[in-house]
Amino acid sequence: MDKRTAVVTGGIGGLGTAICIALARAGRRVVAADLGGHPERVARFQAEVDGLDVRFAPLDVSDFDACGEFVRGIETAGQGPDILVNAAGITRDTTLRKMDRGQWESVLSVNLDSVFNLCRHAIDGMTGRGFGRIVNISSVNGQTGQFGQTNYSAAKAGMHGFTMALAREVARKGVTVNSVSPGYCETALVAAIPDEIRQGIVDKVPVGRLGHPDEIARTVAFLSDDEAGYITGANIPVNGGLYMAF
Ligand code: CAA
């Protein structure tokens, strides 16, 4: 069987980098799609993935047409994509009473519209080839809501609805669609939370610490395996016990 190709959006971010590394180590050809405007970030990423089958591709995931062109480029090279991990995400935290339209729209467009943009362009190829693994990186805050995150919580909760609906549409075609809901992990997003608030959150985590990006990446590698074909429409929480539900 040919090597499978995995696209990871937000691929050079905190969770994205760990996901790229885990998928490459699992034998995938990985394309890390992310904004190209910060050469020093890209260089740091390239150093981290040195020696692995991972390449960086500049992409604005909120641009529907650019996502189409990007997916067609991979298809034309005969490289799938077979696995799509939607990990691009931003925060613009503030209470609703202070939130402006730009803070709402940017979070919804990067976190949720991007999932539509990539899936819409990739889905026909996946169903046509009879294989696909889509993993949407949501958040515990999409399950519980978080103070100061009406925009982010709405986007992340929306990903769950999207995941379940698309899972039903493509289940007979060899394509699975799942979401992973990380808790608070050691990433720049979490580092940006004021120290006192972050400590208050960690104090509530039963495991007693922030998550490691590798712990999220391991779950993504599991769900995107060929052998994971009977798991679809699921949400896998990886949150140290911060939110437990059945
Ligand atoms: N619950 C209740 N009250 C809270 C609170 C909370 N969790 N957090 C703050 N408050 C209170 C403050 O004490 C303050 O009270 P006073 O007005 O009486 O002093 C008030 O709410 C602050 O209200 P503001 O209108 O001034 O709030 P703000 O617009 O300045 O926003 C904030 C504050 C930026 C949202 C800040 O609370 C914050 O950073 N919170 C953390 C949000 C968070 O957890 N983000 C997660 C980022 S990481 C991520 O998203 C990754 C992932 O998936 C897990």
Side-chain angles (χ1 to χ4, degrees):
M1 188 185 60
D2 281 353
K3 194 169 190 175
R4 296 212 185 274
T5 301
V7 166
V8 181
T9 74
I12 70 173
L15 296 182
T17 302
I19 293 168
C20 289
I21 292 171
L23 292 179
R25 288 191 178 140
R28 313 312 186 182
R29 175 192 300 114
V30 179
V31 184
D34 209 316
L35 291 176
H38 302 280
E40 68 293 344
R41 258 186 97 214
V42 177
R44 206 175 325 126
F45 169 76
Q46 277 163 340
E48 281 191 69
V49 299
D50 190 37
L52 296 170
D53 190 352
V54 179
R55 76 176 167 86
F56 168 72
L59 177 67
D60 176 355
V61 294
S62 65
D63 181 335
F64 181 74
D65 293 335
C67 290
E69 208 173 305
F70 168 76
V71 170
R72 277 192 298 281
I74 293 174
E75 285 177 342
T76 304
Q79 297 181 344
D82 309 295
I83 298 164
L84 169 62
V85 183
N86 288 302
I90 60 167
T91 54
R92 296 289 181 269
D93 292 357
T94 188
T95 48
L96 183 68
R97 52 185 278 277
K98 292 188 192 166
M99 189 176 292
D100 62 34
R101 210 181 155 87
Q103 290 167 317
W104 172 263
E105 286 176 351
S106 58
V107 169
L108 268 289
S109 94
V110 174
N111 296 33
L112 185 59
D113 291 355
S114 62
V115 178
F116 168 77
N117 294 345
L118 269 303
C119 289
R120 178 65 188 85
H121 290 295
I123 203 67
D124 284 346
M126 287 183 175
T127 55
R129 291 185 297 274
F131 180 87
R133 296 282 179 266
I134 297 174
V135 182
N136 296 320
I137 307 300
S138 182
S139 165
V140 65
N141 292 344
Q143 299 174 282
T144 63
Q146 172 60 298
F147 186 99
Q149 288 200 309
T150 49
N151 47 6
Y152 186 85
S153 299
K156 294 300 190 180
M159 286 170 88
H160 292 305
F162 181 100
T163 296
M164 294 185 287
L166 183 59
R168 289 181 189 278
E169 293 181 15
V170 296
R172 302 270 170 111
K173 307 281 186 187
V175 180
T176 66
V177 191
N178 293 290
S179 55
V180 172
S181 290
Y184 283 74
C185 294
E186 289 166 359
T187 63
L189 275 192
V190 172
I193 303 172
D195 288 349
E196 210 182 292
I197 294 178
R198 191 174 53 253
Q199 192 52 49
I201 292 167
V202 174
D203 289 344
K204 293 198 187 89
V205 178
V207 170
R209 60 169 174 82
L210 295 175
H212 300 302
D214 293 352
E215 293 171 311
I216 309 305
R218 198 166 296 138
T219 311
V220 174
F222 168 73
L223 288 173
S224 54
D225 196 273
D226 281 33
E227 304 300 319
Y230 207 60
I231 307 174
T232 198
N235 173 49
I236 312 289
V238 188
N239 61 28
L242 181 59
Y243 175 65
M244 300 182 192
F246 70 97

